[in-house]
Amino acid sequence: MSHFPLLTLTAAVPAVGAVVTATLPAATTDVRRRTAKTVALTFACGTFALAAAVAGRFHPGGARYQLTESHSWIKSFGVSFSLAVDGIAAVMVLLTTVLVPLVMLASWHDADPEPLAETAFGNRRRTQLFFALVLTVEAMVVLSFLATDVFLFYVVFEAMLIPVYFLIGGFGDRTDDRDGEAAAQRSDAALKFLLYNLLGGLVMLAAVIGLYTLSARAGIGDGADGTLDLTALTDALRDGRLSIDPTAQRVLFLGFFFAFAVKAPLWPLHTWLPDAMGEANSGTAALITAVVDKVGTFAMLRLCLGLFPDAARFFAPAIMVLAVTGIIYGALLAVGQKDIKRLIAYASISHYGFIILGIFAMTPQSQVGASFYMVSHGISTATLMLVAGFLISRRGSRLIAHYGGVQKIAPVLAGAFLIGGLANLSMPGLAPFVSEFLVLVGAFARHPALGAIATLGIVLSALYVLVLYQRTMTGPVQESMAGMVDLRARELFVVTPLVVLLIGFGVFPQPVTNFVVPAVDATLAEIHRMDPKPVRPAVEGRR
């Protein structure tokens, strides 16, 4: 067990930063607004430094869970404040702490008071609240990746809905597309997000209670009163002290999986995402799809497969069908979109289908690819969404038809948009290509037909990305866009590291795969899944 609470500190720093930022004096002047933003950014950068220290102290060849911390919380119910990090959690925490400061910089002026307007939070404390909410989301997401107590995970899994709800409903892009309808549509999208995810959480709560009851009956935990400690539960399952009959295991699996499928989001539980990403400002939209939704897919790997291996194998074919349906469905709807941000949202639904396909194909290649996909998709979608936000802020419209010829007046912006788009269609040489290739290789090995259908998503992604680029960046310059400026220094500072990561991991993915491979191997061992042997055609005359 780690003596220095590095993991606790990593989750606590953004939480403290949120409180400090929110309690600063009302930002009624430019100086006070800049101070609030700088304080929040400083805490976000400090969290990244701590996450880098966690990754530096993690040894991929060592124990699966490292830097463990455990403190009794609700002793009578076997609940503890337990944290630990495995390889997948380490890279997801790094991804989160890299993206949050960049989202803050990209949204630097998005929460400034609106002249002559009364917003959801008023104008006086609008700036502090936006950046405090972003830090709160970061704290919740980091804690969810590190939690090894199922009840602790459930609490932060549900708690993160509140700051995201306020980010969606209180802050949006300043566009002229819908006039007075914008505020009402933001509120509707925020409520839809909250209701969908609360429903998933309630179902999961019933499953958590059921899991605790079974552990108590089996005499697992300190004092044999039951436990929700993940390592204790998996150890008891492995050595036979905890035996869950097949029917109960399937019911519990579905309770957990339903909540994670809503969060992920998996078709047909996806419908909240396009509205949420469309109505939120671009920084919040990037935060949702690149970071928050990853908690769902991460939990599928850690909890669904780790706690209910037999049920996971039983439901895997059906889940893979849903994943492939989501791949094709999301891509088809992306092709027909007229709104830039909703196009990116439907593209993300398609990408999440690939991640879930890789998880439940249950081969080493597919699960390494799914884990890597969570990282590469976070970077690529954040790049595309944030650059789209820069574009929207200049023209004041989300509609594709309102753009044209951007590359002639803002070539750097157009180039960054192109790189983000090419990454989303998994262009070789960029990080998403590696992850998508591994997912498809693993899926073909287990279910060739589903793997073949999933490849159609690649063709469709090329269509919607290239058509989007053609309609917005090429052709004659529209009169309404005359005088558009290229990326500013702050915006370049946001885009540059994302592009470097996309290219770097596309050429050399080993820094990520070295972390995730041992965790994937441990997961596959828990669910008793080996790499399927390739089928070789019989050769006539060979004995």
Side-chain angles (χ1 to χ4, degrees), residues 11-302:
V13 166
V16 172
V19 174
V20 171
T21 303
T23 54
L24 288 172
T28 54
T29 65
D30 288 341
V31 172
R32 286 186 174 182
R33 283 193 289 273
R34 193 179 305 114
T35 299
K37 297 171 187 177
T38 303
V39 168
L41 182 62
T42 300
F43 275 98
C45 291
T47 307
F48 167 69
L50 290 169
V54 169
R57 293 183 62 182
F58 181 82
H59 301 290
R64 177 176 183 179
Y65 292 111
Q66 301 178 28
L67 307 179
T68 56
E69 303 172 24
S70 184
H71 308 279
S72 181
W73 183 14
I74 310 175
K75 190 172 183 180
S76 58
F77 290 99
V79 174
S80 61
F81 185 86
S82 298
L83 306 179
V85 63
D86 65 0
I88 300 174
V91 297
M92 294 309 300
V93 169
L94 270 177
L95 172 70
T96 302
T97 57
V98 166
L99 290 182
V100 166
L102 299 179
V103 166
M104 287 184 173
L105 284 171
S107 308
W108 200 248
H109 297 299
D110 289 359
D112 288 348
E114 300 179 12
L116 304 178
E118 189 66 21
T119 66
F121 302 110
N123 272 347
R124 291 174 56 81
R125 307 195 67 83
R126 179 176 170 84
T127 301
Q128 291 102 307
L129 286 172
F130 175 80
F131 286 92
L133 288 169
V134 171
L135 284 171
T136 304
V137 172
E138 180 180 30
M140 298 293 182
V141 171
V142 168
L143 195 55
S144 68
F145 290 138
L146 299 177
T148 54
D149 183 276
V150 177
F151 185 78
L152 174 62
F153 174 86
Y154 170 78
V155 169
V156 294
F157 183 81
E158 288 293 276
M160 72 177 69
L161 302 180
I162 304 305
V164 177
Y165 167 80
F166 285 115
L167 284 171
I168 297 169
F171 305 90
D173 287 316
R174 299 174 185 178
T175 64
D176 56 11
D177 294 337
R178 299 157 298 159
D179 299 324
E181 298 178 3
Q185 292 188 5
R186 282 201 301 271
S187 296
D188 290 346
L191 183 60
K192 188 175 183 179
F193 160 82
L194 187 64
L195 291 178
Y196 266 66
N197 284 274
L198 279 178
L199 175 61
L202 288 173
V203 175
M204 180 181 168
L205 177 60
V208 170
I209 294 171
L211 181 63
Y212 171 78
T213 302
L214 290 173
S215 72
R217 288 178 180 175
I220 309 300
D222 294 338
D225 292 328
T227 184
L228 286 169
D229 182 80
L230 179 63
T231 53
L233 290 170
T234 53
D235 287 345
L237 286 167
R238 189 182 304 113
D239 61 26
R241 288 181 292 122
L242 176 60
S243 179
I244 307 176
D245 72 79
T247 300
Q249 188 173 145
R250 291 169 189 175
V251 171
L252 293 176
F253 172 90
L254 289 175
F256 279 86
F257 179 78
F258 180 79
F260 305 149
V262 172
K263 179 84 78 179
L266 174 66
W267 181 92
L269 304 172
H270 67 283
T271 57
W272 63 268
L273 183 66
D275 291 337
M277 289 182 63
E279 299 305 325
N281 71 6
S282 298
T284 300
L287 194 67
I288 290 170
T289 190
V291 173
V292 173
D293 290 351
K294 297 299 187 303
V295 176
T297 51
F298 172 84
M300 289 179 190
L301 272 168
R302 173 171 283 187

Side-chain angles (χ1 to χ4, degrees), residues 176-177 390-406 409-410 471-472 476-485:
D176 56 11
D177 294 337
F390 299 151
L391 181 66
I392 292 167
S393 67
R394 286 158 166 75
R395 172 63 177 81
S397 175
R398 292 163 24 188
L399 299 180
I400 296 171
H402 289 174
Y403 294 90
V406 173
I409 53 177
R471 292 178 178 174
T472 56
V477 179
Q478 295 198 10
E479 293 182 7
S480 59
M481 297 175 59
M484 175 183 285
V485 297

Side-chain angles (χ1 to χ4, degrees), residues 419-456:
I419 293 174
L422 292 176
N424 272 266
L425 64 81
S426 300
M427 184 79 171
L430 299 175
F433 170 77
V434 179
S435 52
E436 201 161 283
F437 175 78
L438 288 171
V439 166
L440 289 173
V441 167
F444 270 110
R446 189 74 70 186
H447 295 282
L450 292 177
I453 297 171
T455 58
L456 295 176

Side-chain angles (χ1 to χ4, degrees), residues 300-460:
M300 289 179 190
L301 272 168
R302 173 171 283 187
L303 298 182
C304 286
L305 273 61
L307 292 173
F308 316 109
D310 294 335
R313 291 195 302 272
F314 177 82
F315 287 112
I319 294 171
M320 291 176 69
V321 170
L322 294 178
V324 171
T325 303
I327 291 170
I328 305 302
Y329 173 88
L332 283 172
L333 265 65
V335 171
Q337 292 302 306
K338 299 178 181 179
D339 182 310
I340 296 174
K341 292 170 68 178
R342 290 181 71 89
L343 185 152
I344 298 172
Y346 280 109
S348 285
I349 292 169
S350 181
H351 294 312
Y352 273 101
F354 277 107
I355 296 172
I356 296 169
L357 176 66
I359 291 171
F360 285 93
M362 297 184 183
T363 65
Q365 299 93 337
S366 71
Q367 289 202 350
V368 170
S371 303
F372 192 21
Y373 213 133
M374 288 192 278
V375 176
S376 63
H377 173 263
I379 300 169
S380 63
T381 298
T383 304
L384 189 60
M385 180 58 79
L386 294 178
V387 176
F390 299 151
L391 181 66
I392 292 167
S393 67
R394 286 158 166 75
R395 172 63 177 81
S397 175
R398 292 163 24 188
L399 299 180
I400 296 171
H402 289 174
Y403 294 90
V406 173
Q407 66 181 11
K408 296 178 181 178
I409 53 177
V412 179
L413 188 154
F417 195 81
L418 178 61
I419 293 174
L422 292 176
N424 272 266
L425 64 81
S426 300
M427 184 79 171
L430 299 175
F433 170 77
V434 179
S435 52
E436 201 161 283
F437 175 78
L438 288 171
V439 166
L440 289 173
V441 167
F444 270 110
R446 189 74 70 186
H447 295 282
L450 292 177
I453 297 171
T455 58
L456 295 176
I458 302 174
V459 178
L460 292 171

Side-chain angles (χ1 to χ4, degrees), residues 483-509:
M484 175 183 285
V485 297
D486 210 338
L487 291 182
R488 302 177 179 90
R490 170 180 58 84
E491 295 165 334
L492 279 171
F493 192 82
V494 172
V495 171
T496 300
L498 294 173
V499 171
V500 169
L501 289 172
L502 285 174
I503 297 173
F505 288 148
V507 175
F508 187 62

